[in-house]
Amino acid sequence: MSSLDLNRGFNKKEIPLKNKIIRVLLYIIVIFVLINIFLPLFFAILAMFKDKKEIFSAEFSIFPINWTFDNFSRLFYLEYTTIGVNYFQSLFVTLAVSAISMVLSLFINSIAGYAFARLEFPLKRTVFAIVISTMFIPGITILLTSISVVSALNMMNTIWVLIIPGLSSAYNIFFFKQFYSGFPKDYDEAARVDGCNSIEIFFKIYVPNSLTPMVIMGAGTFIGYYNSYLWPTLTIDQDHKGLTQIMSLIYSLFNDQSTLGYGAVLAASVIALIPAVLVFIIVQRYIREGIALSGVK
């Protein structure tokens, strides 16, 4: 056997061992990250079923000694009705606003992206540059101006002030524009030969073939509206507060042992987390498909 063959055999044994070491290190990092993410959530879920004395007890126990559902009953039926805070109504309104905003935002941003990608109109490049430039303007710098605008339009303390101002997104428009630019122009030409106009081409060709980006952008929009705090705080009164404002109020009122305690706070937090987790479970497959699609391109 020649020295060249020996070197080849040595290299074949060395490379798999190196890959195994890297894989083990990656697994260790992933496990460490998962523990840091899910361990607090695990304790929060268990603490929902503990009474106030057990949560603050000096003798720590992972699992509840006496399982109780009092935190949920307090959250929905008792003290909250006396102080005018309706958690369930707030959760429903927030979900409704997030869902409506997601659908409208997808329609507006996708059709705008299609227009920039496929249609020709005067000052197209200039308008697109202006749209993209808004991505670099911090939202906090135009907060007072935005409040003045919605106030002049008599939208304050209405559900529309939560929906309309955030529908258009420069990032989403840019995303759809880049995605639609990758479509072959032969589709458009064939559709126009069949008598379709631009709107029909968009809904019959582009929308059915853009399920993955629609789901990804829609999930991001939904979570953004669902977690919104500053804008609803400044534009909505007490009777129409969103979920994040109610959570803040819950924590400020019941963060000590003498009142509802942390059990009700944790119960409210975990319930509020469920929609976001469900959205991630639904979207994760499309995220993988989006990554694979971008890799193919």
Side-chain angles (χ1 to χ4, degrees), residues 128-147:
F128 183 69
I130 294 174
V131 171
I132 295 301
S133 66
T134 60
M135 294 173 59
F136 306 98
I137 301 176
I140 194 68
T141 60
I142 58 173
L143 183 61
L144 295 178
T145 304
S146 301
I147 293 176

Side-chain angles (χ1 to χ4, degrees), residues 11-246:
N11 292 333
K12 288 181 180 179
K13 294 180 180 179
E14 181 181 9
I15 293 175
L17 179 61
K18 181 179 178 181
N19 291 340
K20 288 181 179 179
I21 294 174
I22 294 175
R23 183 174 297 178
V24 170
L25 291 175
L26 290 176
Y27 281 143
I28 293 174
I29 294 173
V30 170
I31 292 173
F32 177 77
V33 172
L34 290 177
I35 290 175
N36 279 273
I37 293 174
F38 289 104
L39 191 61
L41 179 61
F42 175 73
F43 284 116
I45 293 174
L46 293 178
M48 293 191 306
F49 303 98
K50 296 180 179 180
D51 56 26
K52 292 183 287 186
K53 294 181 179 179
E54 188 176 349
I55 291 176
F56 289 92
S57 176
E59 298 180 359
F60 174 76
S61 62
I62 297 178
F63 294 94
I65 299 175
N66 298 313
W67 292 77
T68 178
F69 292 91
D70 290 343
N71 293 319
F72 297 95
S73 62
R74 293 190 185 100
L75 181 63
F76 287 102
Y77 302 111
L78 299 179
E79 285 90 341
Y80 282 73
T81 59
T82 62
I83 62 173
V85 178
N86 192 322
Y87 179 85
F88 182 78
Q89 179 182 351
S90 175
L91 177 62
F92 175 78
V93 169
T94 302
L95 288 173
V97 168
S98 301
I100 294 172
S101 302
M102 177 188 68
V103 174
L104 294 178
S105 178
L106 283 177
F107 172 76
I108 292 173
N109 295 316
S110 62
I111 202 168
Y114 166 74
F116 284 119
R118 283 292 184 257
L119 303 183
E120 295 295 333
F121 51 89
L123 302 176
K124 173 182 174 180
R125 294 180 180 273
T126 303
V127 174
F128 183 69
I130 294 174
V131 171
I132 295 301
S133 66
T134 60
M135 294 173 59
F136 306 98
I137 301 176
I140 194 68
T141 60
I142 58 173
L143 183 61
L144 295 178
T145 304
S146 301
I147 293 176
S148 299
V149 171
V150 296
S151 178
L153 295 174
N154 295 323
M155 294 171 56
M156 297 289 287
N157 297 320
T158 66
I159 193 174
W160 301 112
V161 76
L162 301 177
I163 297 176
I164 294 178
L167 290 180
S168 178
S169 169
Y171 173 78
N172 289 358
I173 292 174
F174 176 77
F175 181 90
F176 282 113
K177 189 262 183 186
Q178 293 300 108
F179 181 77
Y180 291 146
S181 295
F183 278 56
K185 292 186 177 180
D186 296 341
Y187 292 170
D188 300 52
E189 296 174 357
R192 293 190 186 279
V193 170
D194 291 338
C196 294
N197 56 36
S198 299
I199 298 297
E200 292 175 332
I201 292 173
F202 172 71
F203 282 106
K204 292 182 179 180
I205 297 178
Y206 285 82
V207 172
N209 289 283
S210 55
L211 178 61
T212 297
M214 285 279 189
V215 172
I216 295 175
M217 291 294 101
T221 302
F222 181 90
I223 296 299
Y225 274 90
Y226 188 77
N227 293 330
S228 179
Y229 176 77
L230 181 59
W231 181 255
T233 301
L234 299 175
T235 57
I236 293 295
D237 57 20
Q238 180 67 31
D239 296 333
H240 301 87
K241 289 294 184 184
L243 184 62
T244 52
Q245 290 75 47
I246 295 298

